[in-house]
Amino acid sequence: MKITKFFALLGAVAFAFAACEPVNNGGDDNGQQGGTDGPERPEPTGSITLTADKTSVEIGDIVTFTVTDAENQDVTSQANIYDAELTVVENGKWTAATTGVYEFFATVGSENSNYVKISVMAEVPEIPENPEPENLAFNHRAILVDFTGVNCGYCPDMVDELIKLHGTSWVNHYNEVTNHGLASYLTDGDPARSAAATTMCNFYGGRITGLPTLIMNFNGQGINRNYNAMASTLQSYIQLDGADVGISMAVSGDSEVVYFASEIKAAKTNEYRATAWLLESDIYSPNQAGATKPEHKIYDFAIRNGLNITRSDISGEDLGTIEEGKSVEYSRGIEVTSNSWKVENCGVLVIVSAKDKNGKWEVVNSAYCPVNESKAFEFVTAE
């Protein structure tokens, strides 16, 4: 974008802005969707706030923006609202023309608003109605990431232990991800390999001490290949009285893009992030080393693609501060980049994180939903 255009639009308001339209979910040299790079963007001043009447729309839908000041007065008529190309949004209304994620901000005088992202999808999946809107006791689910591969002769042992864990009450408190991405074990004969898996391996780094390695969440260490050790690790983390957030979602998709729409509701006021991973199940692998049972040759929940996955950070994009009892919508599309992936066997895992006591982004809850299905909020139940 041209600096001259920038000053022509904003006059005395001097700041730099970067983003293309639509907002690029980024990418590293493995071709994964990741964070955006570019020049510095204007910092919100906090004195004005931009909101939209909806943040997930279909092509042809109209989005209406509102700008309020620090006293919550409507100042939309005094504001200039811009898209990522610094094109003015006339009369505070914007019509979705093509799929993608689009970003907007507003100015009033020298004040800059927050950024609002609008996700345009070919079809917006319908999030199920909350059956208990006053209930904030959300069921808590970790993620268990199994680093595995077709050439790993000990990996079927991990499968056996995970099957045992699945038969316990802990099955209600985790979502499983299998990762076929460790370079030293990759072969063209591994049908579950993906660029996303390799990028994730770089993030987890030295904590992967060989295959198989099972790690809980983003910052955990390897767990012993024993379902009792897995259960103990979950017990040390799971909040049986309720997670900090709840997640409700719906998923649809075709051969090119899998769309998800989710509602994230806070039981605890905090600053949160979210990411979403496309997982495929029922992948048959006849050449699995060490396989002695049919289930050893079936790969489930293998990561195929994801949003904002980079070597240094997999926590996703900022959702801002969500106040207790309030919700935000997080809805996007995830590309299907291979015709070998069977979309009918795929689903989306939404992961919400917050900073832990060490200042690292860590999982606070997760929810998985298969394509063409929906998943309502899960609440704490007696076990």
Side-chain angles (χ1 to χ4, degrees):
M1 97 189 30
K2 297 180 179 179
I3 296 298
T4 53
K5 178 182 179 183
F6 170 85
F7 281 108
L9 283 170
L10 300 184
V13 183
F15 54 71
F17 176 79
C20 296
E21 186 180 2
V23 175
N24 177 17
N25 279 323
D28 58 23
D29 54 16
N30 279 323
Q32 283 315 113
Q33 298 177 13
T36 53
D37 296 318
E40 183 181 356
R41 306 189 312 171
E43 290 295 329
T45 59
S47 58
I48 59 172
T49 301
L50 177 67
T51 58
D53 64 340
K54 44 188 173 288
T55 57
S56 299
V57 297
E58 297 179 5
I59 294 173
D61 286 349
I62 297 174
V63 177
T64 300
F65 293 99
T66 302
V67 183
T68 54
D69 63 14
E71 298 179 356
N72 203 33
Q73 300 178 102
D74 190 330
V75 293
T76 308
S77 62
Q78 305 167 43
N80 290 316
I81 303 170
Y82 301 96
D83 67 13
E85 290 295 305
L86 291 181
T87 301
V88 176
V89 177
E90 299 290 348
N91 301 316
K93 294 183 183 296
W94 179 76
T95 301
T98 57
T99 59
V101 180
Y102 298 80
E103 195 163 43
F104 301 84
F105 71 101
T107 66
V108 175
S110 61
E111 304 297 329
N112 310 321
S113 78
N114 55 299
Y115 291 87
V116 172
K117 289 182 178 180
I118 306 297
S119 185
V120 181
M121 297 180 275
E123 175 187 358
V124 179
E126 185 174 351
I127 302 172
E129 185 176 349
N130 189 345
E132 301 180 45
E134 303 303 318
N135 191 348
L136 297 181
F138 301 112
N139 185 51
H140 194 196
R141 288 183 182 266
I143 60 169
L144 294 179
V145 185
D146 177 18
F147 295 88
T148 185
V150 69
N151 289 336
C152 169
Y154 295 103
C155 287
D157 296 340
M158 181 69 81
V159 172
D160 291 338
E161 295 303 309
L162 284 167
I163 289 173
K164 292 177 185 177
L165 182 68
H166 191 81
T168 72
S169 61
W170 289 113
V171 68
N172 299 314
H173 295 293
Y174 68 89
N175 284 301
E176 184 181 341
V177 179
T178 55
N179 179 296
H180 295 245
L182 193 62
S184 58
Y185 286 83
L186 281 180
T187 70
D188 291 337
D190 192 330
R193 65 182 299 184
S194 70
T198 300
T199 302
M200 280 180 58
C201 284
N202 284 298
F203 170 80
Y204 283 94
R207 290 176 288 160
I208 307 171
T209 55
L211 297 187
T213 292
L214 186 71
I215 294 178
M216 185 175 72
N217 296 336
F218 296 158
N219 301 306
Q221 299 295 321
I223 304 170
N224 288 338
R225 195 163 65 241
N226 179 286
Y227 84 99
N228 286 317
M230 300 172 191
S232 178
T233 302
L234 287 168
Q235 186 174 26
S236 69
Y237 164 75
I238 293 298
Q239 300 168 198
L240 293 175
D241 59 346
D244 292 354
V245 299
I247 306 166
S248 177
M249 60 186 297
V251 181
S252 64
D254 54 36
S255 61
E256 295 183 350
V257 183
V258 171
Y259 297 104
F260 71 92
S262 69
E263 178 185 353
I264 297 168
K265 188 171 185 177
K268 176 182 178 182
T269 300
N270 205 347
E271 182 181 356
Y272 294 102
R273 284 184 176 179
T275 186
W277 299 350
L278 179 66
L279 310 181
E280 184 180 352
S281 293
D282 201 27
I283 303 170
Y284 180 62
S285 178
N287 300 317
Q288 174 62 50
T292 59
K293 304 172 185 176
E295 55 266 34
H296 294 161
K297 299 179 181 182
I298 301 295
Y299 302 150
D300 289 328
F301 307 112
I303 183 163
R304 289 306 202 181
N305 205 351
L307 301 180
N308 307 95
I309 294 176
T310 71
R311 289 178 172 85
S312 60
D313 186 8
I314 60 173
S315 61
E317 63 184 81
D318 292 328
L319 298 177
T321 298
I322 311 176
E323 297 181 358
E324 178 182 333
K326 301 296 184 180
S327 298
V328 299
E329 189 173 311
Y330 174 59
S331 304
R332 300 286 184 267
I334 307 178
E335 292 184 1
V336 178
T337 61
S338 172
N339 57 18
S340 68
W341 304 352
K342 296 182 179 179
V343 173
E344 65 271 22
N345 293 337
C346 290
V348 173
L349 176 67
V350 170
I351 305 168
V352 180
S353 59
K355 288 185 177 179
D356 62 15
K357 61 182 180 181
N358 298 314
K360 294 182 178 181
W361 290 97
E362 186 56 288
V363 176
V364 295
N365 211 354
S366 68
Y368 175 79
C369 181
V371 167
N372 296 325
E373 294 186 22
S374 63
K375 184 179 182 66
F377 287 111
E378 287 186 336
F379 297 104
V380 171
T381 59
E383 295 190 2

